[in-house]
Amino acid sequence: SAQPRLSARYLLSDNWSLKASYGKMNQYVHLLQSSYISLPNDLWVPITKNIKPMVSHQVSTGIFGRYGRFDVSLETYYKISHNQVEYKDGARIFSGNLNWEDRVAQGNGKAYGVEIMARKSVGKTSGWIGYTLAWAERQFPNGEINRGEVYPAKYDNRHKINIVATHTYNKKFDLNLSWTYATGNWSTLPMGKYLDFNENEKNYYQQRNNFKMPPYHALSVSFNYYRHKKNGRLGIW
């Protein structure tokens, strides 16, 4: 497959520039996930005669520069993809890997958003702050998933924040802090139950990915002591 990449830059001044890029990408393995349960049951599956490779096109534009002691950037992106793979509505997930092709559908995806970043790399305190406002959607026109209607992808996280900071006291001590926040993933929960013609109880799902999980955040703090030895070796506590 041909996978071209194009990029361009326009210098506004010594410190500021505009950038634009386009890329076409093909992927020959698919990540098959379930939105019904939260278990480590993700599978990497290959392309076959029936399962086509994923094809995506992405364009991005942004402004990059330096403000004071900070490197800053604001970038927008738009990505469309074809031949995304997901389990069909009602497919049995725990029926083994045999005939897995019959349980999946292929459709389209769309992702777009804005990324803002500020980075400081000089001085005793360094680090960066990043914020992303993003959307991600899926659609399976054949109607095998969500009746062919658009629905949010599992990782349609509207807001993401990353903060990383390091303070170096001297050549022996430093302090590191890292904080990540993201709005929750989407999951599929039943809206009720019903009895089929054989009096078997079934779950009723109004649509795919109908419930947003709580936000996720994690804070990590570390303190390092560097022990410089006479033979040139370095020990870190």
Side-chain angles (χ1 to χ4, degrees):
S1 63
Q3 302 185 44
R5 308 281 200 278
L6 300 173
S7 63
R9 182 180 67 167
Y10 179 78
L11 295 176
L12 299 172
S13 66
D14 292 339
N15 294 327
W16 292 91
S17 65
L18 297 175
K19 297 181 182 180
S21 66
Y22 161 79
K24 174 182 177 291
M25 292 158 281
N26 287 24
Q27 184 169 305
Y28 292 88
V29 290
H30 293 282
L31 179 59
L32 186 56
Q33 300 175 310
S34 171
S35 63
Y36 292 92
I37 53 175
S38 295
L39 291 175
N41 64 325
D42 296 350
L43 296 175
W44 285 101
V45 294
I47 65 166
T48 67
K49 293 181 179 180
N50 301 318
I51 304 298
K52 300 178 181 178
M54 187 174 69
V55 182
S56 65
H57 302 266
Q58 178 169 316
V59 294
S60 62
T61 59
I63 182 170
F64 301 79
R66 188 169 184 82
Y67 183 78
R69 294 193 292 177
F70 290 89
D71 295 315
V72 296
S73 64
L74 186 151
E75 188 173 14
T76 63
Y77 67 92
Y78 184 87
K79 178 181 181 180
I80 57 174
S81 56
H82 306 287
N83 302 327
Q84 293 270 6
V85 169
E86 285 202 23
Y87 286 108
K88 297 178 182 178
D89 286 342
R92 293 186 176 183
I93 300 172
F94 295 112
S95 56
N97 298 335
L98 190 63
N99 300 325
W100 62 269
E101 298 169 84
D102 298 332
R103 305 199 303 272
V104 302
Q106 290 198 279
N108 304 319
K110 182 190 300 183
Y112 53 93
V114 179
E115 297 179 343
I116 303 172
M117 177 175 287
R119 182 187 300 272
K120 182 177 179 290
S121 55
V122 295
K124 286 192 173 184
T125 302
S126 61
W128 55 274
I129 299 175
Y131 168 73
T132 302
L133 176 65
W135 288 262
E137 302 171 350
R138 294 283 176 88
Q139 184 179 24
F140 290 75
N142 292 334
E144 297 165 303
I145 299 177
N146 206 50
R147 302 177 299 278
E149 300 175 359
V150 177
Y151 64 93
K154 180 178 181 179
Y155 297 109
D156 176 47
N157 311 119
R158 191 71 67 244
H159 306 282
K160 291 183 180 180
I161 302 172
N162 287 287
I163 299 176
V164 176
T166 299
H167 182 78
T168 303
Y169 296 94
N170 50 50
K171 69 176 184 178
K172 289 187 176 182
F173 299 98
D174 67 25
L175 178 68
N176 301 276
L177 180 146
S178 175
W179 183 64
T180 299
Y181 170 90
T183 51
N185 295 336
W186 288 90
S187 185
T188 304
L189 298 182
M191 305 298 294
K193 295 181 180 293
Y194 67 95
L195 297 178
D196 63 12
F197 292 108
N198 297 319
E199 299 297 320
N200 296 317
E201 190 176 77
K202 301 287 186 178
N203 290 325
Y204 168 67
Y205 298 94
Q206 183 180 15
Q207 65 179 32
R208 179 68 64 95
N209 290 345
N210 58 358
F211 179 79
K212 179 174 277 294
M213 302 294 285
Y216 164 87
H217 63 91
L219 174 66
S220 300
V221 179
S222 65
F223 182 77
N224 298 314
Y225 167 64
Y226 300 88
R227 186 182 178 188
H228 299 268
K229 299 182 180 181
K230 294 182 180 180
N231 58 7
R233 299 178 65 183
L234 176 65
I236 303 175
W237 291 79

